[in-house]
Amino acid sequence: MTDAQATAKHTDQLTFQDPVTRFPSISPPKQHQPEPGLDQELIPQTDRGEHSYRGTGRLEGRKALITGADSGIGAAVAIGFAREGADIALSYLPEEEADAQEIKAIIEDAGRQAFLFPGDISDQEFCAELVDRAAEALGGLDALVNNAGRQIAIEDIADLSDEQWTHTFDTNIHAIYRITKAALKHMPAGSTIVNSTSIQAYSPSPPLLDYASTKAAINNFTKGLAQQLAPKGIRVNAVAPGPIWTPLQVSDGQPKEKLPKFGKNTPIGRAGQPTELAPAYVFLTSSESSYVLGETLNVNGGNPSP
Ligand code: NAD
Ligand code: MG
């Protein structure tokens, strides 16, 4: 990393700066973690905005449930939301407790409340329980970010097991349907839902058949539900990240030999950092986007997308 890049790393997101050099073009070494992977063990470490995200009061008093909030994009969104004034319920897997505790401390440093709900959202019953417990802890619920997901690369459909196919669908899309349905019982007009889809929804990589299919489904679900809920004053949108450096990539999300070049084939020439996603989720959750419904905001370093 050059001196200029090291300095730029801690510049807040509102400062005028060159997006090419805002973060270094990383070449991660080959590495592996068991699913789901920990941010704490990732080489190099990610930037989730802990030293840089500057809030401007855009989510003052909001009550948000964020799934996959312990690490990567979800953690960056949790930090952004807290610094914008929201209290947060964090959903994650029990194995991720160490990452979740770190994000909880950052949220509390921002003067906001953080409530932790470890559990498996591929379990149908847990989805409803999670939402009800989160709403109780927060004293209501007016923002939902369906961000959790699993991505396991398998080169050949012959090796893609029925178990993996089902587990990916249960985690990535069935849980969104279940959590959303349970959340709507708590949500007043003005509430928002933001779903994490992916560039994989339109440009599927050959080893991600199950994952990419769920991301296409999330996009479609977002656009259908947005129309259904519009008259009730509840807005539904999605964010479609490109290659973002997170634990997802080293826990079999990518073939290991691809890690050193991760994200370099984007027009901007580098992988994204999780904190670069936070403003998209903040915008779609804040009332400033009141006329934006059923939109998928692509945050992908410049790859053309529909
Ligand atoms: P991440 O590993 O940091 O986050 C994924 C989170 O999902 C995990 O932290 C975990 O808490 C949660 N999760 C997975 N299975 C779960 C289960 N059964 N129960 C409860 N929680 C579970 O990785 P990330 O890249 O920040 O991923 C966040 C979202 O962004 C995912 O939906 C992913 O598909 C999407 N996305 C990521 C990229 C990227 O390049 N990193 C690109 C496009 C889309
Ligand atoms: Mg995690």
Side-chain angles (χ1 to χ4, degrees):
M1 202 188 301
T2 64
D3 287 352
Q5 285 167 338
T7 315
K9 197 175 173 208
H10 298 303
T11 305
D12 75 56
Q13 83 279 12
L14 301 175
T15 300
F16 180 74
Q17 56 196 314
D18 180 348
V20 174
T21 54
R22 181 180 176 202
F23 294 102
S25 177
I26 55 168
S27 303
K30 289 180 199 170
Q31 58 197 292
H32 181 259
Q33 292 188 40
E35 189 190 2
L38 287 178
D39 251 340
Q40 293 190 343
E41 290 175 16
L42 205 53
I43 309 164
Q45 289 280 289
T46 70
D47 194 319
R48 294 156 299 169
E50 52 275 67
H51 303 297
S52 60
Y53 189 95
R54 175 152 66 99
T56 54
R58 294 158 82 194
L59 302 178
E60 209 60 61
R62 297 288 296 272
K63 302 166 192 303
L65 168 60
I66 304 174
T67 65
D70 57 298
S71 60
I73 295 166
V77 172
I79 292 169
F81 274 31
R83 293 201 181 151
E84 297 289 357
D87 291 330
I88 320 282
L90 298 89
S91 152
Y92 55 96
L93 284 164
E95 304 93 290
E96 301 174 302
E97 189 62 32
D99 276 352
Q101 289 290 347
E102 207 174 296
I103 303 309
K104 178 176 191 270
I106 297 170
I107 292 168
E108 289 172 349
D109 276 353
R112 307 311 313 183
Q113 289 189 286
F115 303 99
L116 300 182
F117 297 101
D120 185 349
I121 61 164
S122 69
D123 172 346
Q124 184 174 350
E125 280 173 23
F126 178 72
C127 290
E129 184 193 321
L130 165 68
V131 171
D132 290 344
R133 287 172 56 205
E136 192 184 346
L138 290 165
L141 184 66
D142 59 34
L144 171 63
V145 178
N146 284 308
N147 166 72
R150 75 189 293 265
Q151 173 186 325
I152 306 290
I154 306 275
E155 297 289 343
D156 189 333
I157 189 171
D159 301 320
L160 176 57
S161 68
D162 204 80
E163 193 275 334
Q164 146 127 356
W165 179 271
T166 305
H167 191 189
T168 303
F169 270 73
D170 277 344
T171 308
N172 293 13
I173 176 72
H174 297 161
I176 291 186
Y177 151 72
R178 290 167 183 152
I179 290 171
T180 300
K181 200 168 164 181
L184 286 170
K185 294 199 291 271
H186 299 279
M187 294 181 124
S191 298
T192 52
I193 300 171
V194 183
N195 300 320
S196 291
T197 173
S198 170
I199 190 169
Q200 291 289 329
Y202 336 105
S203 303
S205 301
L208 297 178
L209 286 184
D210 52 339
Y211 174 84
S213 303
T214 64
K215 293 298 168 181
I218 292 167
N219 235 354
N220 196 287
F221 177 81
T222 300
K223 290 171 197 307
L225 187 65
Q227 296 174 72
Q228 216 181 88
L229 298 183
K232 298 187 167 129
I234 297 176
R235 295 182 299 110
V236 189
N237 289 287
V239 175
I244 312 302
W245 183 235
T246 71
L248 193 80
Q249 308 301 344
V250 304
S251 46
D252 293 317
Q254 296 285 330
K256 276 191 276 305
E257 56 283 2
K258 291 204 170 158
L259 290 177
K261 294 219 160 114
F262 181 69
K264 289 192 191 292
N265 65 350
T266 54
I268 208 168
R270 63 171 176 84
Q273 291 292 332
T275 191
E276 296 184 277
L277 275 293
Y281 290 80
V282 168
F283 169 68
L284 293 172
T285 298
S286 155
S287 293
E288 73 201 297
S289 59
S290 53
Y291 208 60
V292 182
L293 297 84
E295 173 64 346
T296 300
L297 187 38
N298 293 283
V299 185
N300 67 22
N303 279 320
S305 37

